[in-house]
Amino acid sequence: MSLSLEQLVFEVLKPKATLPPSSVLAERLARPQCLKHAEALHAALPYLESLSASGALSLMSAPIRDALEARLTRERMLLSLLDQELEFSVSVLVTAKIPVVILKGMDLGRRFYPSRLARPMTDVDLLVRAEDYNAAIQELAKHKYRFVGKVSTRRFRAELSRYGESPVVELHHRLVRGDSHGWLKAAW
């Protein structure tokens, strides 16, 4: 039974995926639709990293291999930018004595994945106490962070960036819409 391209991408994205060395399989994985599907899942880096680790990239034709290796390098650089943004934004808040918790991908990728590269992430997510939220935004603004995306007092988070659109720091004062601050206070 042959897997669809989408199913094939999911197989490649599984932690510790093992791909049999096969030039036919490598050529299927090299199809633009596979990378587009991984991108739709915000998983281009894990997809490309898995292709590289399995040796599938080396079995692809030179132009395709070179293009995918260039993309892999770019994705690794973007992850490095997110790492730098995490360190900088957390240091700004800690220096201002604002308690902060790292959420989602940046934390999960470090603690629970066999490789950080296996955890898709596109931004930095931070949680601060509700009573510190405005002060946190002001403190980050002193360091050239500006709002990007929608700005609304009804939202439970703000998207901020020092460089225009990317990388983005999402500053949360709640975990999900509608939760209460009461149970979060116990966490602090």
Side-chain angles (χ1 to χ4, degrees):
M1 182 173 121
S2 180
L3 297 175
S4 72
L5 292 180
E6 290 82 8
Q7 291 169 320
L8 195 54
V9 170
F10 281 121
E11 287 300 312
V12 170
L13 290 173
K14 286 182 178 176
K16 300 181 183 175
T18 55
L19 302 173
S22 160
S23 58
V24 173
L25 178 61
E27 289 305 318
R28 284 191 76 205
L29 293 168
R31 292 183 183 167
Q33 301 95 310
C34 288
L35 183 56
K36 286 185 192 307
H37 188 62
E39 288 170 340
L41 300 169
H42 299 289
L45 177 57
Y47 178 75
L48 294 167
E49 188 64 31
S50 184
L51 292 182
S52 179
S54 70
L57 275 181
S58 65
L59 298 173
M60 295 178 185
S61 65
I64 292 172
R65 181 186 61 243
D66 293 347
L68 292 178
E69 285 176 344
R71 177 66 187 271
L72 177 57
T73 299
R74 181 176 173 270
E75 292 293 329
R76 287 176 176 157
M77 289 169 47
L78 290 172
L79 180 60
S80 179
L81 284 173
L82 285 173
D83 286 339
Q84 291 174 355
E85 205 60 33
L86 172 68
E87 289 178 28
F88 186 79
S89 58
V90 168
S91 71
V92 166
L93 296 174
V94 168
T95 301
K97 299 192 181 348
I98 298 173
V100 60
V101 174
I102 302 167
L103 299 175
K104 297 166 47 176
M106 296 303 281
D107 181 46
L108 295 173
R110 284 184 167 91
R111 296 195 307 150
F112 299 111
Y113 280 75
S115 162
R116 285 196 53 244
L117 301 174
R119 173 55 168 95
M121 59 190 93
T122 58
D123 59 12
V124 173
D125 291 275
L126 303 175
L127 175 69
V128 296
R129 298 182 303 199
E131 58 267 24
D132 293 330
Y133 184 68
N134 289 330
I137 289 173
Q138 290 172 359
E139 200 59 42
L140 289 168
K142 291 178 188 175
H143 296 274
K144 300 186 180 177
Y145 283 90
R146 301 294 177 254
F147 289 105
V148 294
K150 295 179 182 178
V151 178
S152 169
T153 56
R154 297 180 59 215
R155 295 186 78 193
F156 60 93
R157 64 179 169 29
E159 297 170 353
L160 306 161
S161 177
R162 292 187 291 163
Y163 306 106
E165 295 296 317
S166 184
V168 170
V169 173
E170 281 193 6
L171 186 67
H172 298 251
H173 63 86
R174 291 184 178 166
L175 295 177
V176 294
R177 186 179 317 279
D179 67 2
S180 70
H181 293 285
W183 74 270
L184 276 175
K185 284 185 180 183
W188 296 106

